[in-house]
Structure formats: structure tokens, C-alpha cells
Amino acid sequence: MDPPSEEEVKSALTGLLKVASVVSISVGVLVIICGVIAVSVVGGLTTPVIIGSVQTAVGVLIVIAGGIGHSKHKTLRRRQWEAMATRAQELALGKAAQRTIIDMLGFSAPVLAMVPTDGTVLEATVGSSSKDTRESTIPSIKLRPGLVLIEGLKDADGRAVPVCMRNLHDGPVRFYPGMSPYHFLTLLLLTLGMTFVNSAILAIAVSFPLDASVVTNCEALGGFGGALLLLASCTGYRVYSAYAKGRRQQDRV
């Protein structure tokens, strides 16, 4: 299989943005709840109130960041779909396109459709399934995963013409080599690390004034959470490095 294109990777990262936004909102809500609990349980003491208030404020900021990320995701997906619709109409008009027989894998009869000539749909070598000698030069391809057949478009003469093109909106997720599975591992480690650190902060607030056993337990929770956050930063850097390497390799092609 050919390496993913820059557009495919950006589409995958857009999907990952949605996951990160949901995780951010979930973690933010957890932090807010812990902050409220800290204030309500030991509201008569100044230090726990300060800790709980700061915790609540941080949780609100995390939720806001997740909301912004989710809004950004929706905007990117809408622009992506609009770009696909514009490109599909250009193909229907014959711009950098050619006719191809689309094998519907037995679900329906083959379809004669317009496809782009940029190599994103047509394989390096394609055969012809046409039995008409007049159409013997028309290539034939299978509707493989990652492609979408769009109908209801019209050519320059007003005739209906199907279009087959790469599906960047909800096609298979593809990353540059080295990015997977570290992208999801980064989110998992970040979520777990924030949870443990938040639990340690909550324990400090509700157990104030502290004794030796509470300090030991909080140090263990916070230390483990900090280690997870450190691992998350390492895997996140690995994802970024793989992305940067993939971009550099494609720029040299």
C-alpha cells in the first residue's frame, strides 16, 4: 500500500482532534467535580478552599479548551466536506478527470463514472472490463475502501454523471509511519496522569491538615500521575517527530 498523503494524514488528525476534545471535556468535568467537593467538604479552612477553587478554575479552563477543540473539529470537517463537494463538481465537468468503469463489488451493476487523473483513484495498472470495442480504452477499478461514489452531479451538458473520488471526510484513518498507535497512547497516558494528579490534589484538600500517612499516599498518587504525564509527553513527541519526518519525506518527492 502506498504511504498516506498529506491530505489523508490531516484528515486523520482532524478526527483525532475530536477524540482529544472529548477527552479534554471529560477530564475538565472531573477536575471541576473534585474542586467542588474539596470546597464543600472542608469549606471552613482557608487552604482547602484555595486548593478547591484553583482546581475548579483549572477544570473550567480544560472544559473550555475541549469545547474550542470540538468547535474547531466541526469547522475543519465542514471545510473538508465543502472542498470535496467542489472537487466533485469539477470532476463532473471533466476538469482533470476521465471516465472509468467502477466495479461495485457485486452490490450493483458497474457504474461509468468520472475519476481524477492525479493518481488518487486510478491504480498504477488498471484493466478494462468493457466488452464494447469502442470503449476498450476505458479502465476499470473496484470501489475499494477509501473511495466514495457521488451521484446527482451534472456535466457541462446538464447530464447526470457519477463521480468517484477519494473519501477524506470519513474514509479509513491513515497516519504517517510511526504515528500509530502512539497517538491514542498519548491521550490515554495524559488522561490517566491527570486523573491521578487530580486525585492527589483532592486528597490533600479533603484531608487537611495533613498527617504522615496522607502525605505518603498523596506523594504516591502524584508521583505515579506525574510519571504518566512524563510518558505522555514522550509518546506525544514521538508522534510529532513521525509527523514531521513524514512531511519532510513527502516534500522531497
Side-chain angles (χ1 to χ4, degrees):
M1 180 181 294
D2 294 334
S5 64
E6 181 182 346
E7 291 78 10
E8 288 177 310
V9 175
K10 286 184 177 180
S11 179
L13 290 175
T14 300
L16 186 61
L17 176 61
K18 180 179 180 180
V19 178
S21 301
V22 173
V23 170
S24 178
I25 293 174
S26 301
V27 171
V29 170
L30 176 63
V31 174
I32 291 174
I33 292 174
C34 289
V36 172
I37 291 176
V39 173
S40 60
V41 171
V42 285
L45 299 176
T46 302
T47 300
V49 169
I50 295 176
I51 294 175
S53 299
V54 172
Q55 205 170 6
T56 302
V58 170
V60 171
L61 293 177
I62 295 176
V63 170
I64 292 175
I68 294 174
H70 185 68
S71 177
K72 182 67 173 179
H73 165 265
K74 292 176 63 177
T75 300
L76 291 174
R77 283 303 192 200
R78 185 179 67 254
R79 292 177 180 174
Q80 189 178 63
W81 179 252
E82 291 173 350
M84 282 185 59
T86 300
R87 179 58 177 145
Q89 184 57 60
E90 292 176 348
L91 294 174
L93 295 175
K95 183 178 181 180
Q98 71 176 74
R99 292 189 180 277
T100 301
I101 298 173
I102 309 298
D103 184 350
M104 302 300 291
L105 306 178
F107 293 102
S108 62
V111 176
L112 185 62
M114 300 296 290
V115 301
T117 57
D118 58 4
T120 58
V121 173
L122 290 176
E123 301 168 353
T125 57
V126 292
S128 173
S129 62
S130 175
K131 298 181 180 179
D132 190 333
T133 56
R134 292 172 301 176
E135 297 181 352
S136 59
T137 58
I138 299 179
S140 175
I141 63 172
K142 293 182 179 180
L143 189 65
R144 60 186 183 272
L147 300 180
V148 60
L149 184 67
I150 303 176
E151 299 182 296
L153 301 174
K154 296 184 182 299
D155 61 13
D157 298 325
R159 295 172 298 187
V161 54
V163 167
C164 182
M165 61 185 298
R166 186 173 52 182
N167 187 1
L168 293 177
H169 188 263
D170 52 4
V173 175
R174 300 186 67 194
F175 291 99
Y176 290 131
M179 293 180 65
S180 180
Y182 296 102
H183 54 293
F184 278 124
L185 182 59
T186 300
L187 290 177
L188 177 62
L189 291 173
L190 184 62
T191 303
L192 291 176
M194 287 291 295
T195 301
F196 277 97
V197 170
N198 189 59
S199 298
I201 296 174
L202 176 62
I204 291 174
V206 298
S207 302
F208 197 84
L210 306 178
D211 56 29
S213 62
V214 173
V215 171
T216 300
N217 292 332
C218 290
E219 288 178 347
L221 286 172
F224 185 66
L228 292 177
L229 293 176
L230 180 61
L231 288 175
S233 65
C234 293
T235 55
Y237 179 75
R238 181 161 185 167
V239 172
Y240 172 77
S241 299
Y243 174 77
K245 180 180 179 181
R247 286 293 303 274
R248 288 195 301 268
Q249 290 177 342
Q250 285 192 333
D251 291 341
R252 288 197 295 265
V253 176

